[in-house]
Amino acid sequence: MRGISVLRRLTEADGVLSLSALEKATGLARSTVDRITATLARMGYVRLDGRDAVLAPRLMELGNAYLASIRLPRLLDAHADALADELDESVSLAVADRDGVRFIHQATRRRAMSLSFRIGDLLPAERTAPGPLFATEWGPADWARWRTRREADPEGRGFPAVPPREGAYDDFEARTESAAAQGWALDDQLIEPGLVAVSVPVRDPRTGRVACVASVVSHTSRHTTGSLRSTLLPRLRATVARMEEELAGAPREPAAPDAGSPPPSSPIPTSSGLGLAAWTGASKQELGREFIESLARGLTVLTSFGEGRADLTLTDVARATGLARATARRALITLEHLGYVESSDRVFRLTPRVLGLGFPPLSMLPLPRIAAPHLAELSARVHESASLAILTAGGDEVQYTARVATSRIMSVNITLGTRFPAYATSLGRVMLAGHLPEVSLPERLIPLTPRSVTDPRELLTVLERVRTDGYALVDGELEEGLRSIAVPVHDRDGHVTAAVNVAMHSSRRSVEQCVEEILPELRATVHRIESELRVAGMFRRVAGV
């Protein structure tokens, strides 16, 4: 419970808080905060950066477990994206979280004046268009909980994703009755002046209940509530009909994996070959009292759910995690008490509240920010500059998007945004090699130094060797005395999307030393970046990829 409290406070602070600020925000003793953050760091969920605790992308596997278990994003996101393209407006999918609403998918438009929420953000039901549609299924206990919350927090300060506001939505019950009668609902600037939205429920064809709500979000400069109804609502309804057809055609539950195999999103390092009990034991032995076994086990229980594992019995959870039944039972009871798990007929499932554990701020991380701490660690280990770059649209140049430089009298001076010809750089060559045979090489290769490869056929031979070797080493071809070695970065689908290099003056290491000393460190760093990129990109497109 205390560990989850720390994760929640970090989430509310957009992913970064000093340890002393965490102590104040949680009311926990500093020693307890230190033990919790040490445990979360061991799991890869938090990174300790000086005096700060920073949420790490790997924490997203908790939210991924929930999103995979409900399957709605996988089944419906293509329809939402297509509607956004058709209307040139933002489209979202949301689910109910008690008397709140959480977004599970966003297809946004890039505009100077636009508003979009992050996946996992929690909004009060009364200030949204989806809220009245979910409330049509509320019972007396749900309405009582909503009234109690409104009385205790009339401005909605418990929902940090939206600005506080009082008295602008006192007609929520009337809007719910209207939504029940007409089958759709509007948000007429309830969240913020200028923001308007129209929503339609997506019903589970098997039960008739609301599975999620699809919304089109616009601005009053483009649409009034009248034009939302007349222009956008019919197209939204047509898309929702296709979504419901998708749900009707989907199997009730995909084939579940072997119950004895560990869940694919387990935070335990799979390369170690250790089970959960052995891993926690080894961690406890290494960190001593700084490692909290109950926290590690409890969070791992959340990752036992996923696609094909939406509804699990206690026995299923124990088998998936390797925990004793009594230990798994205590974890599930605690998680249910906190609202992250619900149960019926001895079957457990995750709730949308799991998305509140770090998912909103982490879902906005672009590739350069995911890579940055790993580049810093690499640079510190090898005592050389490390960089991340992508290919520009035409494929002729590389552009630096993240970089950590060393402090030397003679150093490689490159700033973010710098572009170089791809054919003459190690970064460019590993990315060009990853796109063979589709890659188009420049017709004319300019000799930047006497060492530059300028013959297209020779360059093609070099790229084929790079693809075979899995790395590129360029020695003095971009600039005399500059030596660099690079490794490609792959996305979830195995496509080369970026590259990482280490650059230095040729006097500091020989070519052989670069391969023997730098390359293994470089590959290990890229492996860690790719691991976090796979987690971060499971249900959203990572910017910069």
Side-chain angles (χ1 to χ4, degrees), residues 193 277 291 457:
F291 184 78
R457 288 175 296 181

Side-chain angles (χ1 to χ4, degrees), residues 56-58 365-379 381 386-390 401-404 427 487-492 497-502 521-537 540 542-545:
R58 196 169 190 173
L365 286 183
L367 176 58
R369 286 187 58 192
I370 292 174
H374 301 288
L375 296 181
E377 292 173 0
L378 172 63
S379 179
R381 286 196 301 271
S387 304
L388 174 81
I390 59 172
T401 58
R403 179 169 170 76
V404 176
L427 290 162
V487 170
V489 177
H490 300 83
D491 63 14
R492 285 184 58 86
T497 188
V500 173
N501 85 340
V502 171
E521 296 284 358
L522 190 56
R523 282 177 163 158
T525 295
V526 167
H527 175 74
R528 286 188 284 270
I529 293 172
E530 289 176 339
S531 177
E532 291 195 343
L533 186 58
R534 282 192 294 272
V535 174
R540 61 113 187 182
V542 178
V545 173

Side-chain angles (χ1 to χ4, degrees), residues 11 24 29 61 205 209 234 260 328 358 364 385 388-389 408 455 468:
T11 302
K24 294 177 182 178
E61 62 191 7
R209 295 182 61 82
M364 303 301 290
S385 300
L388 174 81
R408 293 181 183 271
D455 183 283
T468 300

Side-chain angles (χ1 to χ4, degrees), residues 150-175:
R150 282 295 314 278
E151 291 174 2
D153 182 18
E155 295 183 345
R157 295 185 179 275
F159 298 85
V162 294
R165 192 175 180 186
E166 184 175 10
Y169 31 77
D170 293 331
D171 61 343
F172 181 58
E173 294 175 73
R175 287 192 291 119

Side-chain angles (χ1 to χ4, degrees), residues 126-170:
E126 63 271 17
R127 289 183 64 181
T128 68
L133 295 166
F134 289 123
T136 60
E137 297 182 343
W138 285 2
D142 301 303
W143 281 107
R145 180 173 56 242
W146 175 77
R147 294 187 184 98
T148 300
R149 190 259 296 167
R150 282 295 314 278
E151 291 174 2
D153 182 18
E155 295 183 345
R157 295 185 179 275
F159 298 85
V162 294
R165 192 175 180 186
E166 184 175 10
Y169 31 77
D170 293 331

